[in-house]
């Protein structure tokens, strides 16, 4: 049972987030909080098979609920999944930071502790003048870890610097407030090994904890998770050697965020170079505030490549903990999404027609309280957060045009 110190000022009792293999014995991993609640990711044979909002008064009660959730067999590992597959494919992991996130050390510890040892970790310091990043990582001496400077502000610029520094055929990206599972790199590498036609892999992102009501609201708004089914997207409609299903194509596909998220993504390094890396008119730190990851996924797909969503590649993420940060985050997501759609609209007449055809459905998705995007929000979900995101969609097109002009001016100056 939780102590009184778990309680926060609004009466919310923090909810732990646990991963439990149903083959394992019941232990403290499954202990619920003072209100009898626990978020559980259940795995069967190493594959994530159920997400359970367990409500029980004991660990044994939680275990019973979890076992019942996986018993229907609705989620099965694809034929290409082999638990603990070994691979020698070398991977570069890029983490970009301003040095303001103290949990950066936890992220790097998790990467240094990966079961896959054929890797290098490139930390891109996007505010080198502050000196914060080297100070944070001063105690983490390891030959696989290096810090590179990128004084040009913006996540896309930082990610492109990490890409330029990547020495290995696979480049993966996560954030400085994320915790990759111990087998994250090995799992990503195995997907690329199993099917040489795969150009991009995204994975499952779940909360590291739900310590505040605001973090719960982020999950109600959809969070980062894209489900537990392994799927792929490719224009030729063929399958993959992984045994994945064809991915869902919603009413705004492919101009939506359904492929995955930037805190858990990997690419063949050569393929990402060929696409030109990340668009520096997009992303956090730019006028558009986001969208560079969605743009990259779409670029792979639209160029005829294959994107795979593989939920066995697990990252846990520390969500924004306070109300104002959530409102700001969702506003940024709206700006970034609209900016990416604007980029697609301007890319070619044929693509512009495709965007226009999907626009009515996209608006319904955004505005209808019963839509897949909104139906998970509780009555307590802050209306100002929803409004902020919608305002972001209005701001996004203009923000992209201004950001694109700014990037072109800077490129012209740099070329002189």
């Amino acid at each position: 049972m939780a102590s009184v110190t778990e309680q926060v000022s609004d009466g919310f009792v923090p909810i732990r987030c646990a991963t439990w293999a149903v083959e394992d014995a019941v232990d403290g991993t499954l202990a619920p909080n003072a209100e009898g609640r626990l978020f559980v990711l259940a795995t069967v044979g190493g594959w994530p098979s159920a997400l359970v909002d367990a409500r029980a008064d004991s660990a044994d009660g939680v275990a019973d609920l979890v076992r019942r959730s996986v018993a229907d067999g609705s989620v099965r590992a694809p034929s290409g999944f082999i638990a603990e597959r070994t691979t020698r494919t070398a991977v570069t992991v890029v983490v970009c930071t301003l040095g303001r996130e103290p949990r950066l050390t936890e992220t790097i510890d998790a990467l240094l502790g990966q079961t896959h040892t054929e890797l290098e970790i490139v930390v891109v310091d996007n505010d080198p003048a502050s000196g914060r990043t080297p100070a944070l990582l001063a105690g983490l001496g390891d030959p696989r870890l290096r810090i590179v400077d990128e004084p040009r502000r913006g996540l896309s610029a930082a990610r492109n610097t990490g890409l330029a520094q990547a020495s290995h055929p696979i480049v993966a990206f996560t954030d400085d407030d994320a915790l990759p599972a111990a087998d994250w790199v090995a799992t990503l590498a195995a997907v690329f090994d199993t099917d040489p036609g795969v150009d991009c892999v995204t994975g499952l992102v779940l909360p590291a904890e739900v310590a505040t009501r605001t973090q719960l609201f982020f999950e109600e708004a959809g969070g980062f998770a894209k489900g537990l089914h392994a799927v792929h997207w490719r224009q030729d409609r063929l399958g993959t050697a992984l045994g994945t299903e064809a991915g869902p194509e919603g009413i705004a596909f492919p101009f939506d965020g359904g492929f995955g998220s930037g805190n858990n993504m990997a690419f063949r390094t050569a393929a990402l170079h060929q696409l030109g890396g990340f668009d520096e008119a997009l992303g956090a730190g730019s006028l558009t505030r986001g969208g560079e990851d969605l743009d990259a996924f779409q670029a792979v797909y639209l160029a005829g490549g294959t994107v795979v969503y593989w939920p066995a590649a697990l990252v846990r993420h520390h969500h924004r903990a306070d109300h104002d940060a959530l409102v700001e985050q969702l506003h940024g997501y709206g700006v970034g999404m609209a900016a990416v759609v604007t980029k697609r609209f301007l890319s070619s007449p044929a693509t512009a027609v495709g965007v226009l055809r999907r626009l009515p459905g996209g608006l319904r998705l955004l505005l209808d309280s019963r839509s897949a995007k909104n139906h998970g929000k509780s009555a307590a979900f802050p209306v100002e957060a929803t409004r902020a995101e919608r305002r972001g969609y209005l701001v996004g097109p203009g923000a992209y045009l201004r950001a694109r002009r700014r990037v072109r001016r800077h490129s012209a100056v740099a070329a002189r």
Side-chain angles (χ1 to χ4, degrees):
M1 303 294 281
S3 69
V4 175
T5 57
E6 274 191 319
Q7 306 280 344
V8 295
S9 59
D10 65 355
F12 181 79
V13 179
I15 307 167
R16 281 196 313 108
C17 301
T19 302
W20 183 57
V22 297
E23 303 92 338
D24 290 350
V26 178
D27 58 20
T29 300
L30 296 181
N33 70 3
E35 294 183 337
R37 196 172 183 187
L38 180 72
F39 289 144
V40 183
L41 171 66
T43 65
V44 177
W47 186 262
S49 298
L51 283 169
V52 185
D53 180 357
R55 298 168 190 253
D57 58 6
S58 67
D60 287 331
V62 170
D64 288 342
L65 290 172
V66 171
R67 291 187 183 112
R68 272 181 271 168
S69 295
V70 302
D72 63 5
S74 60
V75 178
R76 297 180 182 274
S79 60
F81 174 70
I82 299 175
E84 299 182 9
R85 182 195 294 270
T86 58
T87 172
R88 302 287 296 179
T89 299
V91 178
T92 300
V93 181
V94 176
V95 180
C96 304
T97 186
L98 294 169
R100 298 172 182 167
E101 175 53 73
R103 285 175 293 214
L104 172 64
T105 56
E106 297 177 32
T107 302
I108 302 305
D109 276 335
L111 292 172
L112 292 173
Q114 292 288 300
T115 59
H116 188 78
T117 56
E118 300 295 319
L119 83 160
E120 63 175 356
I121 302 162
V122 177
V123 176
V124 182
D125 185 352
N126 205 203
D127 188 13
S130 72
R132 289 186 297 256
T133 297
L136 274 173
L137 301 182
L140 298 177
D142 190 293
R144 296 171 296 168
L145 171 66
R146 55 196 168 97
I147 301 172
V148 298
D149 292 347
E150 176 47 80
R152 294 177 303 142
R153 285 294 184 88
L155 184 54
S156 285
R159 283 181 163 162
N160 284 337
T161 296
L163 173 63
Q165 293 286 325
S167 305
H168 299 321
I170 305 300
V171 58
F173 297 85
T174 193
D175 289 350
D176 63 357
D177 56 358
L179 288 173
D183 62 350
W184 178 64
V185 173
T187 302
L188 292 171
V191 174
F192 288 106
D193 277 0
T194 302
D195 191 332
V198 172
D199 300 291
C200 172
V201 181
T202 66
L204 178 64
V205 182
L206 296 176
E209 81 288 301
V210 180
T212 69
R213 198 178 302 277
T214 296
Q215 291 179 323
L216 183 60
F217 286 150
F218 183 76
E219 287 298 301
E220 290 181 4
F224 293 117
K226 306 297 181 185
L228 301 181
H229 294 277
V231 298
H232 68 271
W233 295 270
R234 52 189 300 170
Q235 293 192 63
D236 59 16
R237 305 294 180 180
L238 297 178
T240 68
L242 299 155
T244 49
E245 307 167 3
E249 298 184 5
I251 56 180
F253 181 85
F255 310 117
D256 57 14
F259 294 106
S261 59
N263 44 23
N264 187 351
M265 62 181 180
F267 301 83
R268 292 195 189 276
T269 307
L272 190 53
H273 275 297
Q274 189 172 3
L275 291 170
F278 297 94
D279 185 347
E280 295 184 12
L282 298 168
S286 75
L287 294 173
T288 57
R289 307 180 62 168
E292 85 296 337
D293 49 352
L294 310 183
D295 176 59
F297 304 147
Q298 293 174 20
V300 170
Y301 174 80
L302 293 170
T306 300
V307 181
V308 167
Y309 172 69
W310 193 257
L314 172 65
V315 166
R316 289 197 177 269
H317 179 263
H318 292 282
H319 298 340
R320 307 294 198 279
D322 67 88
H323 173 87
D324 290 347
L326 175 66
V327 172
E328 186 73 9
Q329 182 180 21
L330 292 185
H331 178 69
Y333 285 173
V335 177
M337 176 63 79
V340 173
V341 172
T342 302
K343 176 181 178 177
R344 294 285 168 256
F345 180 82
L346 297 173
S347 64
S348 73
T351 306
V353 171
V355 170
L356 290 174
R357 285 176 177 168
R358 291 161 177 81
L359 189 58
L363 289 173
R364 287 196 302 273
L365 186 69
L366 179 65
L367 300 175
D368 189 342
S369 62
R370 299 163 298 178
S371 72
K373 177 176 178 57
N374 295 313
H375 79 277
K377 295 177 181 177
S378 67
F381 189 89
V383 66
E384 57 269 33
T386 297
R387 289 172 178 166
E389 182 178 12
R390 292 173 181 174
R391 285 197 302 272
Y393 276 86
L394 297 175
V395 171
Y400 176 70
L401 294 174
R402 293 194 302 275
R404 187 172 66 166
R405 286 196 296 269
R406 178 179 291 182
V407 168
R408 288 176 176 174
R409 284 197 304 268
H410 290 174
S411 297
V413 170
R416 290 175 186 170

